[in-house]
Amino acid sequence: MLGTSLVKPRERLPRAIVNLSTSNPRIVLGVWFLLTLIVAPALLRVGVETSTESVLDKQSESWAYYQRSLDLFGGDEIVVLATEAGPTKSASQLAAIDSLSSQFSDLEGVRRVDSLSTQPVISVDDHGGLDLSPAAFGFGNSGSPATGEITNKALADRVLPKTLISEDTRILAINLILERDASSYYESIIPKVDQLVSSMSGAWDNHWTSGVPVFQRETSRQTRSELLTFGPITIVVVFGLVSFIFRSLRAGVAALIVGALGNWMMLAAIGIAGTPVGFTMVILPPVVFALAAAYAMHMLTAASGSQVQGDTTTNLALESVATPIALSGLTTAIGFAATALTGIEAVRNVGAFGGIGVLAVLTIVLTALPAILTILPLPPVRPRGFEYLSTHVAPNLTRHTSRRRRSIIATWAIVAVAAALGLDSVRVDTDATRWFHEGTPIRDDYEAIRERLSGISPINIVIEWSEGSEYETRMVIEPELLRLIDQFDQYLEELPQVGKAVSIADPIRQIHAGFNPESDDLPNSTNAVQQYLLLLESVEQIGDL
């Protein structure tokens, strides 16, 4: 037996843990069984949520400013339904838009519904009175305007074109503006939208639905599917490989127990923390299984080798590999923990829970696996391929590298330099639309809306005067400043990447033109702007600007 005095201090703890497990195998396995039962309820709390917010740095100033903009102007997440109809279906298309707008507004989590039936169009009637009725208000009732009058009124508006109606009038859209932090409603809103839209399918020729909530729901669905697909595949591959190498189904089962138990503990930690599984975390269960198999291999090899040599003290063979396993597990856990320090939630969760999974696997390999191998020892058969690797491949590789030391070092130096040059090309893509290939329905719907209207991706630009500037004490509604905003608005709309740009100057210009038909400019007095804003106070959309 190996004397305790010959064991280095850093090796004593791993060896002592393995020795304790082999000396009390049934007690150790009983403790693990009880622990799995205790944490089992936490697994019921594990959910899947693939919010794009998880890939953003929520500790940055930009995120704080974005949250402030939501406080000022409300939530900006939208679901867009775009419909296409020819002249023969234009009336039924408008009727369906009117009906759906009413039904969508009743959905929980929807703050507002914008369509030709709900969005006020600013105009002045023949008697000089302000008219804020929607373009399709009362459509279908007696005395309601014809479809041509409705579309002409919509196209004359400064906001509706390319947002709720296309320039050729074939495309009409409904925008569902969601409540702030409405992600909890995505799973209920999108199916209801699909159901209501399907009931109106005969009212148009084509329709498309898109928006960040649609992408997020589909990503969550695919994430669940991939977890249920790749998990079993990993289990089958690990079981088959280990069983083949060690010529024993018992070895394969032992490796699976380690992987399954490690994942059980990791998922329980996720449930206890109340953290949903994001799309980046999908890699964790297969990775934990792979690491479990790698660490278990060392124990299985040691146990198998002791049986081949007829050694009755298998626990000493298991103790001999305890330290390398412990060092491998700890360094891997440290690597995961390092990524947990980032401010990006998606990366942080992978690092934190990946580290927990590795530590769980390490503990299981040093405790439960030796206990299992003590109660159910492996058959005395040498693992396949190990002898050939140790007697032929490894010595030949060592001799080859020792003879060509300089050329090998130079080759790796060249590879390292080439890799370093490629680091500059690394990009992080958080665009949810690119997570789906072209040709898939969800990507096609997005592209169709982007090409025909102004798209689904709003960018909010908040303008405020900095401290110490000449404008600091002045109001945005002063004509000079309003014109600056209007110029910026026009500049943005000229950019090829921008489908539509809207600012507070647009409704102000439109109401001013209504009362002053000869003018197409902004008002020249602050009092006039204030009066116009009072008249528009009932228009909810003004609050967005």
Side-chain angles (χ1 to χ4, degrees):
M1 293 181 62
L2 185 63
T4 306
S5 59
L6 298 179
V7 179
K8 297 179 181 179
R10 65 173 178 271
E11 298 184 19
R12 287 175 184 170
L13 180 59
R15 284 176 172 269
I17 294 173
V18 172
N19 181 267
L20 180 66
S21 302
T22 54
S23 301
N24 307 277
R26 287 177 174 79
I27 294 177
V28 170
L29 294 178
V31 170
W32 275 110
F33 179 74
L34 289 176
L35 189 57
T36 57
L37 294 180
I38 291 171
V39 302
L43 272 73
L44 301 177
R45 298 179 56 192
V46 177
V48 176
E49 181 182 315
T50 54
S51 170
T52 53
E53 293 181 0
S54 64
V55 297
L56 304 177
D57 186 356
K58 295 184 179 179
Q59 299 176 6
S60 67
E61 293 183 7
S62 298
W63 178 260
Y65 196 85
Y66 172 63
Q67 294 303 308
R68 181 167 176 265
S69 75
L70 297 182
D71 293 337
L72 292 171
F73 302 104
D76 60 357
E77 298 240 342
I78 64 173
V79 176
V80 180
L81 166 66
T83 66
E84 181 180 37
T88 59
K89 285 189 175 181
S90 58
S92 61
Q93 182 188 26
L94 276 169
I97 292 291
D98 182 63
S99 175
L100 287 173
S101 298
S102 175
Q103 296 179 77
F104 287 161
S105 63
D106 295 331
L107 297 180
E108 191 174 12
V110 175
R111 174 165 66 93
R112 189 180 77 235
V113 176
D114 290 345
S115 72
L116 296 191
S117 297
T118 63
Q119 175 108 349
V121 174
I122 302 169
S123 61
V124 176
D125 59 29
D126 296 337
H127 305 289
L130 180 63
D131 183 6
L132 295 177
S133 60
F137 178 73
F139 179 76
N141 299 332
S142 59
S144 63
T147 56
E149 295 178 59
I150 291 173
T151 54
N152 288 337
K153 183 178 180 180
L155 290 175
D157 188 75
R158 297 189 62 84
V159 176
L160 301 187
K162 297 184 70 175
T163 302
L164 299 177
I165 183 172
S166 63
E167 294 177 349
D168 62 3
T169 72
R170 291 175 57 89
I171 311 294
L172 300 183
I174 301 177
N175 291 348
L176 283 71
I177 317 300
L178 305 186
E179 298 281 0
R180 181 179 177 181
D181 300 325
S183 57
S184 59
Y185 298 111
Y186 291 171
E187 291 295 330
S188 60
I189 290 176
I190 307 304
K192 290 178 181 177
V193 168
D194 292 340
Q195 180 182 0
L196 292 172
V197 170
S198 297
S199 67
M200 299 286 182
S201 58
W204 44 65
D205 299 321
N206 295 300
H207 74 274
W208 308 273
T209 305
S210 193
V212 171
V214 177
F215 278 94
Q216 181 167 322
R217 179 174 179 270
E218 179 62 19
T219 305
S220 297
R221 187 194 67 79
Q222 291 196 16
T223 299
R224 295 189 192 97
S225 175
E226 289 172 2
L227 282 171
L228 295 175
T229 300
F230 292 115
I233 290 175
T234 304
I235 290 173
V236 171
V237 171
V238 168
F239 174 77
L241 180 63
V242 175
S243 299
F244 172 78
I245 290 175
F246 290 94
R247 311 182 192 193
S248 169
L249 295 179
R250 190 178 299 171
V253 171
L256 285 191
I257 290 175
V258 175
L261 197 52
N263 272 291
W264 185 279
M265 294 300 164
M266 180 184 68
L267 292 173
I270 292 173
I272 292 171
T275 302
V277 176
F279 57 90
T280 56
M281 297 169 68
V282 174
I283 66 170
L284 288 180
V287 167
V288 168
F289 255 112
L291 290 173
Y295 298 159
M297 286 271 197
H298 294 289
M299 282 287 179
L300 295 173
T301 302
S304 177
S306 66
Q307 293 295 323
V308 170
Q309 297 170 11
D311 192 344
T312 57
T313 56
T314 303
N315 62 319
L316 290 179
L318 299 181
E319 288 179 29
S320 66
V321 296
T323 299
I325 294 174
L327 291 176
S328 297
L330 290 175
T331 53
T332 304
I334 291 172
F336 273 105
T339 63
L341 302 177
T342 181
I344 300 175
E345 183 181 359
V347 179
R348 186 170 64 246
N349 288 340
V350 170
F353 294 110
I356 291 173
V358 171
L359 290 177
V361 164
L362 175 61
T363 306
I364 295 162
V365 169
L366 294 179
T367 56
L369 185 56
I372 293 172
L373 294 175
T374 300
I375 297 174
L376 300 171
L378 294 181
V381 180
R382 191 177 298 279
R384 286 187 176 94
F386 279 36
E387 184 174 1
Y388 180 78
L389 288 173
S390 61
T391 59
H392 293 81
V393 177
N396 290 335
L397 184 62
T398 302
R399 284 194 296 271
H400 179 76
T401 53
S402 63
R403 293 169 185 167
R404 296 173 174 82
R405 294 186 297 273
R406 291 183 177 83
S407 59
I408 290 176
I409 292 174
T411 301
W412 277 110
I414 293 171
V415 171
V417 171
L421 294 175
L423 291 176
D424 188 54
S425 301
V426 175
R427 296 289 183 270
V428 178
D429 191 353
T430 59
D431 184 356
T433 64
R434 298 181 183 274
W435 299 344
F436 298 88
H437 298 295
E438 293 183 3
T440 56
I442 191 169
R443 178 69 179 271
D444 289 348
D445 281 14
Y446 162 76
E447 295 291 349
I449 294 174
R450 186 179 64 84
E451 291 171 3
R452 292 164 174 80
L453 295 169
S454 56
I456 66 163
S457 306
I459 297 178
N460 306 321
I461 299 177
V462 181
I463 300 173
E464 58 182 345
W465 316 123
S466 59
E467 294 183 8
S469 73
E470 59 178 303
Y471 304 115
E472 182 182 359
T473 59
R474 299 171 62 181
M475 294 186 293
V476 177
I477 59 175
E478 293 182 27
E480 179 189 354
L481 305 186
L482 199 60
R483 283 187 171 82
L484 290 176
I485 293 175
D486 184 51
Q487 291 170 12
F488 184 49
D489 184 5
Q490 295 177 32
Y491 161 75
L492 291 175
E493 195 150 56
E494 292 173 357
L495 297 176
Q497 304 91 337
V498 176
K500 183 80 174 180
V502 180
S503 73
I504 190 62
D506 290 292
I508 296 297
R509 184 191 297 275
Q510 186 155 330
I511 191 173
H512 184 63
F515 286 111
N516 303 272
E518 71 283 355
S519 174
D520 189 36
D521 198 4
L522 291 165
N524 293 317
S525 73
T526 302
N527 287 337
V529 177
Q530 289 177 319
Q531 291 298 317
Y532 291 150
L533 288 176
L534 284 174
L535 292 173
L536 298 174
E537 193 173 17
S538 63
V539 179
E540 186 180 352
Q541 286 80 359
I542 297 295
D544 295 348
L545 305 176

